[in-house]
Amino acid sequence: MTPKQIKERLRQQGKTLTQVAEENGWPRSAVYRVLNGVDKAYYGRAHDIAVKLGMKLPHAEQQAA
């Protein structure tokens, strides 16, 4: 999914990015950095955020694809 699609899905669910960050124990700024492309989310927390939001596949699935 694209960041735009993720933001739209969250709007439809009535959730803010801040709520998503708090629910998952992430800093709000980290979520914004991933969605805005500042963090490329190749590994670490940024990758975990991208996977959870639906932007990327988990590492195991990426290698199998």
Side-chain angles (χ1 to χ4, degrees), residues 17-37:
L17 292 174
T18 300
Q19 287 173 317
V20 171
E22 289 174 355
E23 289 171 4
N24 290 284
W26 301 322
R28 183 176 143 257
S29 61
V31 176
Y32 278 96
R33 290 176 61 87
V34 170
L35 284 176
N36 292 326

Side-chain angles (χ1 to χ4, degrees), residues 2-44:
T2 66
K4 186 176 179 179
Q5 291 170 324
I6 291 168
K7 290 174 186 178
E8 181 59 32
R9 184 186 70 202
L10 291 174
R11 271 189 222 105
Q12 290 172 354
Q13 294 173 351
K15 288 188 174 185
T16 65
L17 292 174
T18 300
Q19 287 173 317
V20 171
E22 289 174 355
E23 289 171 4
N24 290 284
W26 301 322
R28 183 176 143 257
S29 61
V31 176
Y32 278 96
R33 290 176 61 87
V34 170
L35 284 176
N36 292 326
V38 176
D39 284 343
K40 300 304 179 197
Y42 294 130
Y43 55 89

